[in-house]
C-alpha cells in the first residue's frame, strides 16, 4: 500500500513540477504602466483599485508608515526609534546609519526586508504581501566615517523600495548618496508618490536630489531626512511646476483617483 501511495505521489509531482516552473514571475504594475502610454491604466485595473485609499503618516527622520486598504502597515527605513500606533507588519531598512535599520527588530514584526548586501549578494526584493507588491532598486552608498577599507563606496548598500498598492506606486529613496543613471530610472518605473531625503549633506546635495525629484515626475513628493534644511530652498530648486501643501497633521489619505493634477510637495507636521 505504501508503495502505491509513493508511486501516486511521484506521478502527481511529475505533473505538478512543470506547472509550477511555468508560473509567471511577480509582475510590477508600475513598470508595466511606465513602459506603456503615459498615465494609461487598464480599465479593469482602475476599477479594481477604485477609490481605495492608503494612509501615509510621517513618524520621523526617514520613517513613513503606509497603511494599506487591506490592513497592512508598512514602515520605511525602520530603526524602531520612530513609532506611531501599532507595530508595522512590514519594515524596510537601509544600513547607512543605525537610524535607518535595526538588527534586533521586535520579533512580532512578520516581515523584515533588508536593503543592503548580505553574504556578498545585493538585496533582491520582489514579493507580494497581502494587497501590496514590494520591490527594490539598489544603489551604492559611501562608507562610514573612519572606514579605511580602501574604496569610497559600498556597492548596492542602499535600496530604493517601491510599494505598489491600491493602484498607487509609492517610492522611498532611502539613504541615497549618488545621482541615478538611466538604468536606475528604468528599474524604478513610474512613481505617483516619492519620499526624498533633503538634508543636503549626509545623503546628496539639494541640487542632486532636486534633479532626481524632477526627473521622477511623481504627483506627490514627501520630504524626509531634513534636519535644518530650509524647505524654501528645496522648493526653489525643484521649480515652479511644483505646488506646496503644508499640513498641520502628520497623516493624510490618498487614492489613485485623488492624485493632484499639478505635482505637489506635501509637508507634514514634524518634517
Amino acid at each position: 500500500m505504501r508503495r502505491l501511495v509513493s508511486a501516486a505521489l511521484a506521478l502527481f509531482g511529475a505533473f505538478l513540477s512543470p506547472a509550477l516552473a511555468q508560473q509567471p514571475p511577480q509582475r510590477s504594475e508600475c513598470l508595466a504602466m511606465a513602459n506603456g502610454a503615459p498615465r494609461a491604466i487598464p480599465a479593469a485595473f482602475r476599477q479594481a483599485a477604485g477609490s481605495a485609499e492608503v494612509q501615509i503618516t510621517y513618524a520621523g527622520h526617514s520613517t513613513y508608515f503606509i497603511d494599506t486598504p487591506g490592513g497592512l502597515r508598512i514602515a520605511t527605513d525602520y530603526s524602531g526609534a520612530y513609532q506611531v500606533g501599532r507595530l508595522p507588519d512590514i519594515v524596510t531598512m537601509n544600513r547607512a546609519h543605525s537610524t535607518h535599520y535595526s538588527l534586533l527588530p521586535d520579533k512580532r514584526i512578520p516581515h523584515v526586508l533588508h536593503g543592503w548586501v548580505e553574504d556578498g549578494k545585493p538585496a533582491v526584493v520582489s514579493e507580494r504581501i497581502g494587497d501590496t507588491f514590494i520591490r527594490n532598486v539598489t544603489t551604492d552608498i559611501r562608507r562610514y566615517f573612519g572606514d579605511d577599507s580602501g574604496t569610497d563606496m559600498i556597492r548596492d548598500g542602499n535600496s530604493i523600495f517601491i510599494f505598489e498598492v491600491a493602484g498607487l506606486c509609492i517610492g522611498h529613496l532611502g539613504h541615497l548618496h549618488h545621482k541615478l543613471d538611466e538604468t536606475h530610472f528604468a528599474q524604478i518605473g513610474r512613481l505617483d508618490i516619492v519620499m526624498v531625503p533633503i538634508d543636503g549633506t549626509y545623503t546628496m546635495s539639494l541640487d542632486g536630489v532636486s534633479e532626481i525629484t524632477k526627473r521622477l515626475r511623481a504627483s506627490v513628493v514627501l520630504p524626509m531626512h531634513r534636519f535644518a534644511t530650509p524647505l524654501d530652498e528645496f522648493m526653489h530648486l525643484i521649480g515652479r511646476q511644483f505646488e506646496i501643501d503644508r499640513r498641520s497633521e502628520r497623516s493624510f489619505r490618498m487614492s489613485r483617483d485623488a492624485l493632484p493634477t499639478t505635482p505637489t510637495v506635501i509637508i507634514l507636521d514634524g518634517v
Side-chain angles (χ1 to χ4, degrees), residues 34-35 39 173 176 179-192 194 196 204 206-219 221 234 237-239 241-242 263:
N35 292 328
R39 297 295 181 188
L173 298 187
L176 187 61
K179 292 184 177 182
L180 302 180
D181 60 28
E182 294 302 320
T183 302
H184 293 116
F185 286 114
Q187 290 177 310
I188 291 168
R190 199 196 84 244
L191 293 181
D192 299 304
V194 62
V196 299
M204 291 184 65
L206 276 183
D207 284 335
V209 79
S210 299
E211 181 181 328
I212 290 170
T213 301
K214 288 186 285 188
R215 172 66 188 272
L216 288 171
R217 295 196 281 273
S219 296
V221 176
F234 175 65
L237 287 170
I238 61 174
Q241 66 266 39
F242 286 83

Side-chain angles (χ1 to χ4, degrees), residues 139-217:
T139 65
D140 302 341
I141 60 171
R142 292 184 299 274
R143 292 195 174 274
Y144 295 101
F145 177 77
D147 184 342
D148 57 355
S149 54
T151 58
D152 293 333
M153 303 291 283
I154 302 173
R155 187 169 179 81
D156 299 315
N158 176 73
S159 280
I160 297 169
F161 281 98
I162 300 159
F163 312 95
E164 306 185 18
V165 56
L168 292 168
C169 307
I170 304 171
H172 184 283
L173 298 187
H175 210 274
L176 187 61
H177 286 185
H178 60 78
K179 292 184 177 182
L180 302 180
D181 60 28
E182 294 302 320
T183 302
H184 293 116
F185 286 114
Q187 290 177 310
I188 291 168
R190 199 196 84 244
L191 293 181
D192 299 304
I193 301 172
V194 62
M195 302 160 183
V196 299
I198 63 165
D199 58 273
T201 304
Y202 299 101
T203 55
M204 291 184 65
S205 69
L206 276 183
D207 284 335
V209 79
S210 299
E211 181 181 328
I212 290 170
T213 301
K214 288 186 285 188
R215 172 66 188 272
L216 288 171
R217 295 196 281 273

Side-chain angles (χ1 to χ4, degrees), residues 75-178:
T76 63
D77 271 16
Y78 184 79
S79 67
Y82 306 98
Q83 187 65 45
V84 178
R86 72 177 180 88
L87 278 175
D89 305 294
I90 305 167
V91 298
T92 63
M93 298 181 182
N94 277 303
R95 205 172 175 176
H97 302 288
S98 60
T99 49
H100 298 262
Y101 74 96
S102 171
L103 295 180
L104 296 170
D106 194 303
K107 294 181 179 179
R108 294 173 294 172
I109 299 173
H111 304 281
V112 178
L113 305 178
H114 292 174
W116 57 82
V117 172
E118 292 183 307
D119 298 325
K121 298 178 182 178
V124 178
V125 178
S126 179
E127 59 181 298
R128 182 166 295 280
I129 303 173
D131 62 345
T132 306
F133 179 61
I134 305 173
R135 59 190 177 89
N136 75 317
V137 176
T138 60
T139 65
D140 302 341
I141 60 171
R142 292 184 299 274
R143 292 195 174 274
Y144 295 101
F145 177 77
D147 184 342
D148 57 355
S149 54
T151 58
D152 293 333
M153 303 291 283
I154 302 173
R155 187 169 179 81
D156 299 315
N158 176 73
S159 280
I160 297 169
F161 281 98
I162 300 159
F163 312 95
E164 306 185 18
V165 56
L168 292 168
C169 307
I170 304 171
H172 184 283
L173 298 187
H175 210 274
L176 187 61
H177 286 185
H178 60 78

